[in-house]
Amino acid sequence: FHLPCGECTITLEDIQLQLELPVDESVLTGSIQSVDWRAICYDILGAIPDNIYGGRIEMGWLRDTFPESGNDSTEVERIRYARAYILEILRGYLMSDMSRNLVHLRWLLKLVDFRADGELSWRSVVFSTLYQEMC
């Protein structure tokens, strides 16, 4: 995927192949209604961040609050860790911006049921975020 000018780029197909993301399933949207983000965080992650900036939390808080789960962790702790890790992947790699410091909690709402996530296409979200950041 080298470009004529000597630069290279990553395509959505590359992302799909490397991360095994479904691309031909139900459309995934990031639209939300007004919600209590503190309650959502507590219900889904089991912790409430100190600062929520318009529905966004700091990536550092995720890393500090959810260190790598050990062998003695419960199933609930492993699920919470997995959700936090997926949020880090989404914002840090798939939908990064210049700061790479904040992640919107709307994506957390999509991580409630992992089985349902397999039926969603993340391609449109990644593509639209990439396009938005390029403009």
Side-chain angles (χ1 to χ4, degrees):
F1 49 75
H2 291 282
L3 301 177
C5 63
E7 297 179 15
C8 65
T9 186
I10 298 173
T11 66
L12 291 176
E13 184 178 11
D14 295 329
I15 293 170
Q16 185 265 331
L17 292 173
Q18 291 292 322
L19 301 177
E20 299 180 8
L21 294 173
V23 294
D24 296 321
E25 304 296 334
S26 300
V27 175
L28 175 68
T29 63
S31 62
I32 51 157
Q33 303 296 326
S34 179
V35 297
D36 181 2
W37 290 118
R38 298 176 87 62
I40 296 293
C41 281
Y42 184 76
D43 289 344
I44 299 175
L45 294 175
I48 301 172
D50 296 331
N51 299 313
I52 299 177
Y53 309 97
R56 297 173 186 263
I57 59 172
E58 295 176 354
M59 296 283 286
W61 178 83
L62 280 174
R63 287 186 214 103
D64 294 342
T65 307
F66 299 96
E68 192 169 332
S69 60
N71 293 335
D72 60 342
S73 61
T74 66
E75 182 178 357
V76 171
E77 291 171 334
R78 287 191 301 270
I79 290 171
R80 289 175 177 164
Y81 169 79
R83 288 176 178 147
Y85 186 72
I86 291 170
L87 279 179
E88 286 186 55
I89 290 174
L90 287 174
R91 192 57 180 165
Y93 300 105
L94 298 179
M95 294 183 273
S96 63
D97 61 6
M98 295 301 285
S99 72
R100 294 178 61 170
N101 186 40
L102 299 174
V103 61
H104 203 290
L105 292 170
R106 68 179 171 234
W107 307 121
L108 185 60
L109 296 172
K110 306 298 183 188
L111 301 175
V112 173
D113 183 5
F114 290 130
R115 282 174 266 146
D117 290 337
E119 299 172 1
L120 298 173
S121 173
W122 291 82
R123 175 196 274 184
S124 58
V125 177
V126 173
F127 180 71
S128 64
T129 303
L130 175 65
Y131 183 76
Q132 178 182 3
E133 292 302 320
M134 288 175 60
C135 296

